[in-house]
Amino acid sequence: MTATILFVDDEPDLEALVLQKFRRQIRDGSVTIMFARDGLEALQSLEQNPHVDMVVSDINMPRMDGLSLLAKLQEAEDKKSTIIVSAYGDMSNIRTAMNRGAFDFLTKPIDFADLEMTIQKTIRHIEMLREVRGRQAEAERAHAALSRHFSPELAKRLAASGESEGIEVQWRDVATIFTDITGFTSLVESAPPETLGALLNEYVSGMTEIVFAHEGTVAKIIGDAIQVLFNAPGDQPDYATRAVACAHDLDAWAEDFSARWKVRGVNFGTTRVGIHAGPALVGNFGGNRFFDYTAYGDSINIAARLEAANKHLGTRICVSAGIAEAAENFRGRPVGELMLRGRSEPLRAFEPLTPAQFAAPETALYSEAFAKMEAGDAAAMPAFAALVGMHAGDSLAGFHLKRLLNGDKGIRMQLE
């Protein structure tokens, strides 16, 4: 490194002596030397030249002495390494200087060999500080990047330790959640920018906090859509259970959020959630300059298709059979076998329910009607009709009734 040194001394001969003694270092570019006559001039010079690495200052000077200058330097955010020079035997001032944060001291008359050694020692100290600050800045940048994806504790651990396990691209079994909002495009076109900004920031922040509370990973946020992963980057054996619990909390929070904004005259829309589990290519796809932890694969696409299926089914959460089977104490009702876009084989799906919803009498009635439809029993139509008559808000039952009325039979259905 090239060290920039500011000498502060009012002795007229010092400048010539220093330039003579350090001519070789100045010539080869290892040091750059500047001068000031007192503390005030030194502060002005530092303001104009913030790149100065160290200050070598006499104590006794006019206008502002070296101790006062040292105090000012220690108050600054970028504390300069300072060497204090004083008369031999002036130990009281030297002790005061060291107590105020001086890095080292020299006595007059100056021994230039001692001065050179002290400067070299100070340069090594400065290089060490730069390295430490560089590592700290890198850790802070890493933490900022990781915080977009991972829960605070995990982001902190990854940034502090430099761990790469799970960050590199690899195949992993993951549970994927996709969320989206109905009618969001229309809202974007109609809402004032300041309203839309506040709305979306609050929504994304709230949803992300819930994901992190369940120790999920936010893989992507694209406008109003959020993609969440479980079992990545670290192992979570209960990832299906976590995903379902997270989906319930996301749904509850989004419904409350929508109601709060509706009171303010903003029709936010309904948040739809899809969940599927399976292998995916997961890791940082951002290269060296941009951290982008995300996932790709057929299982990811299926989760997205299940989210979109809610629009047709009238549900808010739709999960695959794989999730329903793997989640502990899963409570839900069957949706049917979905022929999703881009797939040749049907996928059995379920609507997860809260404990209260699952215990409600209408859930048992739905299960009976669905079993009749699955068996091809003609009694399925009146069973769904009775259920819709009792609970007009049961959109899934209404969806099946409409299918049966249109002549569709069985539990397999084609969805675009």
Side-chain angles (χ1 to χ4, degrees):
M1 64 171 276
T2 297
T4 301
I5 308 170
L6 175 62
F7 281 85
V8 189
D9 200 306
D10 63 333
E11 289 190 13
D13 298 334
L14 181 69
E15 183 172 339
L17 285 171
V18 169
L19 292 175
Q20 173 66 23
K21 292 296 182 181
F22 287 89
R23 64 186 183 280
R24 178 180 57 81
Q25 293 93 326
I26 295 171
R27 187 170 58 249
D28 65 23
S30 61
V31 298
T32 298
I33 296 179
M34 303 168 57
F35 297 91
R37 299 299 180 186
D38 56 44
L40 289 178
E41 188 177 328
L43 291 175
Q44 292 171 356
S45 181
L46 289 170
E47 186 176 353
Q48 297 168 3
N49 302 278
H51 60 281
V52 169
D53 296 300
M54 77 177 79
V55 175
V56 180
S57 176
D58 190 17
I59 286 183
N60 296 311
M61 296 180 294
R63 297 203 302 169
M64 178 183 286
D65 63 26
L67 292 178
S68 299
L69 172 62
L70 178 61
K72 291 289 186 182
L73 295 177
Q74 291 301 303
E75 290 172 2
E77 184 177 350
D78 179 19
K79 296 177 176 61
K80 305 296 183 183
S81 296
T82 305
I83 300 170
I84 286 293
V85 182
S86 185
Y88 183 79
D90 188 13
M91 293 307 299
S92 176
N93 276 333
I94 290 174
R95 186 178 298 110
T96 299
M98 298 304 290
N99 288 336
R100 290 187 181 182
F103 178 74
D104 211 334
F105 70 91
L106 294 166
T107 58
K108 287 186 173 183
I110 295 177
D111 182 330
F112 278 89
D114 189 18
L115 172 61
E116 187 171 1
M117 290 178 58
T118 304
I119 285 175
Q120 289 301 319
K121 180 176 70 173
T122 309
I123 289 174
R124 289 194 296 271
H125 172 71
I126 293 168
E127 289 175 337
M128 181 187 71
L129 285 179
R130 282 182 176 175
E131 183 179 348
V132 170
R133 289 168 181 164
R135 288 199 300 267
Q136 182 180 2
E138 182 62 31
E140 289 172 354
R141 286 192 295 271
H143 184 264
L146 294 167
S147 294
R148 294 190 298 112
H149 297 272
F150 308 117
S151 62
E153 283 303 312
L154 180 55
K156 184 177 179 181
R157 177 166 60 84
L158 291 171
S161 64
E163 291 184 33
S164 62
E165 184 179 356
I167 301 299
E168 72 279 3
V169 176
Q170 59 180 295
W171 282 100
R172 291 186 69 91
D173 285 327
V174 296
T176 304
I177 294 178
F178 263 98
T179 76
D180 204 358
I181 303 169
T182 61
F184 188 74
T185 302
S186 299
L187 182 61
V188 169
E189 295 172 350
S190 61
E194 59 275 12
T195 299
L196 186 63
L199 181 80
L200 195 55
N201 284 334
E202 183 184 345
Y203 175 79
V204 171
S205 296
M207 296 285 276
T208 300
E209 288 301 317
I210 290 171
V211 171
F212 289 161
H214 290 271
E215 298 184 332
T217 294
V218 177
K220 282 180 183 170
I221 298 175
I222 304 175
D224 62 311
I226 303 174
Q227 179 191 349
V228 178
L229 302 176
F230 286 92
N231 204 42
D235 294 333
Q236 294 172 319
D238 59 344
Y239 60 86
T241 304
R242 287 176 183 265
V244 173
C246 182
H248 278 307
D249 286 350
L250 290 172
D251 176 66
W253 188 89
E255 286 292 287
D256 178 70
F257 175 84
S258 181
R260 284 190 283 109
W261 276 87
K262 189 171 184 178
V263 172
R264 298 164 65 175
V266 178
N267 186 13
F268 184 69
T270 300
T271 296
R272 301 186 303 240
V273 182
I275 318 177
H276 181 58
L281 199 58
V282 187
N284 176 26
F285 289 87
N288 295 328
R289 292 185 176 272
F290 180 71
F291 187 86
D292 184 21
Y293 189 88
T294 190
Y296 298 96
D298 187 52
S299 65
I300 307 300
N301 296 333
I302 292 173
R305 300 282 186 266
L306 287 171
E307 177 275 310
N310 287 293
K311 179 180 179 180
H312 303 279
L313 301 170
T315 52
R316 295 200 301 268
I317 310 176
C318 187
V319 308
S320 64
I323 287 288
E325 292 166 2
E328 185 178 357
N329 297 323
F330 177 81
R331 298 178 179 89
R333 57 182 183 174
V335 166
E337 294 183 352
L338 308 181
M339 293 298 299
L340 301 174
R341 181 164 56 89
R343 294 187 57 80
S344 58
E345 295 295 326
L347 182 76
R348 193 170 181 89
F350 290 80
E351 179 190 23
L353 302 174
T354 64
Q357 290 171 330
F358 188 72
E362 54 266 28
T363 300
L365 294 175
Y366 175 93
S367 298
E368 293 174 6
F370 186 88
K372 292 175 180 177
M373 181 173 66
E374 189 171 23
D377 189 338
M381 186 185 299
F384 277 117
L387 183 57
V388 171
M390 293 169 55
H391 303 280
D394 191 338
S395 299
L396 183 56
F399 170 77
H400 288 310
L401 177 60
K402 184 177 180 180
R403 288 182 59 245
L404 293 171
L405 289 170
N406 288 335
D408 293 340
K409 295 181 179 180
I411 61 170
R412 182 172 297 182
M413 61 205 81
Q414 182 75 41
L415 295 182
E416 294 299 325

